[in-house]
Amino acid sequence: MDGRTCKFWMVIGCAIVLAPARSSAEEGFDTEHIFGFMIGTDVGNVGEREFQTQTTGRFGKGGAAYRALEHEVEIEVVPLPNFRIELGGTASLHDITGVPDIDDRRQFNFQGASLDLRYRLLDRNRAPFGFTIAAELHGDRIDETSGAKGRMYGTEFTLAFDRELIPNFAIGALNLIYQPEWARLEVGGISEKSSTIGAAFAGLARVRPNVLLGGELRYFRQYEGIGLGEFAGQALFVGPTAYFQLSERSRLTLSWSMQAWGRPAGSGGKLDLVNFERHQARMVFGINF
């Protein structure tokens, strides 16, 4: 177990010890925010408004120094039953040295804006499982991987399913993902198109009335072209997730994933550090207002 993973578990352990225990837990789960890199099928109640900050870190490409941080500020509203809208803006920090095919840079910039739409088709309290469709659209002026300036547009389509495995104790979830992206970089006017498909699985258990612990397993395949053209690489990420209900209005989610296996196109390596990172981490804080 490496140093970053040890620190992650130390943070979770301290948070569990210090988290305030509440005398009565809500029946069942609200899966809207309990997962780290995945989404649940719940979308909130009509009239709800939330403020959320999401910080995502991506670390490690080969033996070089690679650090990329994104901090997103979001406003979420539920104007209609089973329908949620989220608007967000993102700033990014890149610290890159010696990574093949990526220029060295150390910079902080406003990255772009996003719109996230979710509609719940099946409520798991009335059906065998929950089912939600989601589409996140984003437009950026900074490439999230290289930090290069340009124009980047993309969409992430997700089919989300979840089901209580043990009532009020354990929940499981499945996400099916398709991500087409288009980019035109300022330097050289290079235009690039790519697409990624993936499947993600998660399980969480209630260890205290206000604390959930579990893990996520995510598999991705990346292609050139938005229509799943030439295969570029694949990766499998595995890691823990922890959710803390801090109060009736506030919450915190922590998640860490490590690339356990991967392979770029035309290579026999055990990891794909060309198209993906070695480690990914995410912290999400939200509050109702």
Side-chain angles (χ1 to χ4, degrees):
M1 183 180 296
D2 61 31
R4 290 194 182 99
T5 305
C6 291
K7 291 178 182 178
F8 179 85
W9 282 111
M10 288 176 63
V11 169
I12 288 187
C14 292
I16 293 174
V17 172
L18 298 175
R22 298 193 304 187
S23 58
S24 60
E26 296 181 0
E27 292 297 322
F29 293 89
D30 183 347
T31 64
E32 184 178 3
H33 300 293
I34 63 176
F35 303 107
F37 293 94
M38 297 174 54
I39 66 172
T41 65
D42 291 328
V43 295
N45 300 317
V46 174
E48 281 188 356
R49 297 176 298 174
E50 292 185 274
F51 170 80
Q52 176 174 289
T53 65
Q54 177 175 285
T55 303
T56 303
R58 294 174 288 114
F59 312 98
K61 278 186 173 294
Y66 180 85
R67 302 177 184 88
L69 295 176
E70 297 176 6
H71 183 71
E72 184 172 8
V73 176
E74 305 161 336
I75 298 293
E76 303 173 3
V77 296
V78 185
L80 299 169
N82 299 312
F83 180 60
R84 197 196 82 173
I85 301 174
E86 176 187 293
L87 294 172
T90 303
S92 62
L93 173 68
H94 289 84
D95 184 4
I96 305 171
T97 304
V99 178
D101 300 323
I102 299 180
D103 292 338
D104 293 354
R105 55 172 42 92
R106 181 174 294 178
Q107 65 182 29
F108 176 79
N109 281 295
F110 172 73
Q111 179 169 310
S114 64
L115 171 65
D116 187 348
L117 306 174
R118 299 186 192 181
Y119 184 74
R120 182 173 62 183
L121 294 171
L122 294 178
D123 184 344
R124 67 179 175 280
N125 294 321
R126 301 181 180 87
F129 53 85
F131 175 38
T132 290
I133 58 175
E136 181 184 358
L137 300 88
H138 61 87
D140 299 322
R141 56 185 294 273
I142 300 294
D143 180 66
E144 66 175 10
T145 300
S146 67
K149 293 183 178 181
R151 290 181 295 163
M152 296 82 186
Y153 304 98
T155 306
E156 179 174 331
F157 298 102
T158 303
L159 302 180
F161 306 84
D162 58 25
R163 177 185 173 93
E164 284 196 43
L165 305 177
I166 302 176
N168 202 34
F169 177 73
I171 186 86
L174 165 68
N175 285 183
L176 301 177
I177 304 158
Y178 169 54
Q179 301 170 323
E181 295 187 337
W182 175 87
R184 185 175 181 84
L185 304 179
E186 282 187 2
V187 178
I190 301 174
S191 181
E192 300 176 347
K193 295 179 181 180
S194 64
S195 53
T196 304
I197 57 172
F201 305 87
L204 290 173
R206 194 186 303 276
V207 297
R208 293 186 67 180
N210 57 329
V211 179
L212 305 177
L213 290 182
E216 298 179 8
L217 183 151
R218 300 174 296 137
Y219 172 70
F220 297 101
R221 293 177 64 89
Q222 187 163 310
Y223 297 83
E224 296 181 4
I226 60 175
L228 304 179
E230 184 178 350
F231 173 70
Q234 58 187 323
L236 175 69
F237 289 89
V238 180
T241 295
Y243 173 81
F244 306 92
Q245 189 69 42
L246 303 177
S247 68
E248 291 186 3
R249 291 181 174 269
S250 61
R251 54 182 166 76
L252 176 68
T253 307
L254 302 173
S255 191
W256 182 278
S257 279
M258 177 179 64
Q259 188 179 152
W261 178 86
R263 181 172 296 175
S267 172
K270 296 181 179 179
L271 297 176
D272 182 355
L273 300 179
V274 176
N275 301 289
F276 304 95
E277 299 79 33
R278 184 72 176 88
H279 297 277
Q280 298 178 350
R282 177 167 289 176
M283 178 178 68
V284 183
F285 172 79
I287 186 167
N288 291 1
F289 65 94

